[in-house]
Amino acid sequence: MNLFQWLKPPKRAKAPDLTPDQRLRLSELPRPAALNAKSLRQQRWVVLDLETSGLNMSRDEVLSIGAVVIEDGAIDLAQQFERTLLRPDHKLNPSVLIHGLGPSAIAAGSEPVDALLDFMAFVGDSPLLAFHAPFDQHMIGRALKESLGYRLQHPFLDVAELAPLLFPKACLRQAGLDDWTAFFGLHAEERHHASADAMVTAELALILFSHARRQEMDSPIQLEQGLAKWRRRQQSHSF
């Protein structure tokens, strides 16, 4: 590389080609609310699960989105979201088959821009919960950036961290969703399916919220502060 090439500014990503209606919908999305001191019962939460084409956060893609809402201290079955983000011409691959997304699901898939706009309208200004949240946060954030030019700024809390924080005696420090659902006697109707995994994650979150209140962490901000202390303890124990 010569000096002039080195001095060249990096190429900007091409702005997504949105229709006027899509741009209007994008502009009307509410701004995310910061985590606050209201009670956990008063907070509306969106519980998210994604199915992806793999675990490479730079290369793999979101295949489907499943989400449910926790509101007034319960799962609101009237507020559920499910979309497959595959085009009809999307080639089948092993990961698609694992997630149960066969030809009929692909044929019914939503165009990514509209599906992601629908999802963010569903989320509104609410914080999100997910199991292994950093992965879901990165993947959905990347999809939103690439398809909409939208920067995801909603707070995420990780149920995989909340569980050992609130139940340290369970000795399931690096456990998966199956381990924690078995620990609490929960049952997922259909694993590796975004909507079913979002539902069982929401059930797990409600159990954790109940125990958080007993431990005087009865607000989103208190949960976040508790997680920050827990992470510092984990880091100190690893040295």
Side-chain angles (χ1 to χ4, degrees):
M1 179 181 290
N2 62 39
L3 177 62
F4 295 104
Q5 288 175 314
W6 184 77
L7 290 173
K8 272 186 182 179
K11 289 184 179 180
R12 292 185 179 182
K14 184 181 177 183
D17 186 16
L18 306 181
T19 67
D21 180 63
Q22 289 168 338
R23 285 197 294 271
L24 177 61
R25 292 184 64 196
L26 182 62
S27 70
E28 291 177 340
L29 292 176
R31 293 180 178 275
L35 296 178
N36 53 57
K38 69 171 66 171
S39 74
L40 295 176
R41 226 176 250 281
Q42 292 174 314
Q43 177 64 61
R44 179 185 186 266
W45 301 88
V46 175
V47 186
L48 168 68
D49 187 84
L50 303 176
E51 300 302 343
T52 63
S53 59
L55 299 178
N56 187 309
M57 293 194 291
S58 300
R59 184 182 65 242
D60 287 308
E61 300 177 351
V62 175
L63 301 180
S64 63
I65 304 171
V68 297
V69 167
I70 294 176
E71 196 164 23
D72 297 325
I75 298 169
D76 185 350
L77 297 178
Q79 298 188 69
Q80 298 187 59
F81 183 92
E82 183 174 12
R83 290 289 190 283
T84 299
L85 270 67
L86 296 175
R87 299 177 186 275
D89 60 351
H90 198 290
K91 293 181 180 179
L92 286 175
N93 60 50
S95 66
V96 172
L97 296 174
I98 286 170
H99 298 304
L101 299 174
S104 61
I106 293 172
S110 299
E111 198 278 325
V113 168
D114 289 326
L116 290 165
L117 283 168
D118 289 345
F119 175 65
M120 292 313 300
F122 176 82
V123 171
D125 66 353
S126 300
L128 293 110
L129 293 166
F131 198 93
H132 292 150
F135 178 80
D136 294 79
Q137 184 176 14
H138 180 91
M139 293 299 289
I140 194 69
R142 204 186 95 216
L144 288 163
K145 184 69 175 176
E146 291 175 355
S147 293
L148 301 177
Y150 178 89
R151 184 184 174 197
L152 181 66
Q153 295 180 296
H154 290 64
F156 269 76
L157 291 185
D158 191 356
V159 178
E161 290 185 329
L162 287 174
L165 163 69
L166 298 167
F167 282 86
K169 294 182 180 179
C171 298
L172 296 173
R173 193 172 293 177
Q174 293 185 336
L177 182 58
D178 288 332
D179 299 303
W180 283 108
T181 54
F183 179 79
F184 289 112
L186 301 174
H187 175 67
E189 291 296 326
E190 188 179 357
R191 287 289 282 115
H192 299 298
H193 187 281
S195 294
D197 286 353
M199 183 63 72
V200 77
T201 301
E203 293 171 1
L204 175 56
L206 285 177
I207 294 172
L208 297 175
F209 286 171
S210 176
H211 285 268
R213 284 190 286 270
R214 297 176 198 172
Q215 298 178 40
E216 298 183 350
M217 286 185 274
D218 190 22
S219 71
I221 194 66
Q222 286 175 327
L223 273 185
E224 184 182 54
Q225 292 166 350
L227 281 172
K229 292 178 182 177
W230 178 84
R231 291 187 195 108
R232 287 195 292 270
R233 288 198 302 269
Q234 302 310 302
Q235 290 173 354
S236 65
H237 292 160
S238 65
F239 290 111

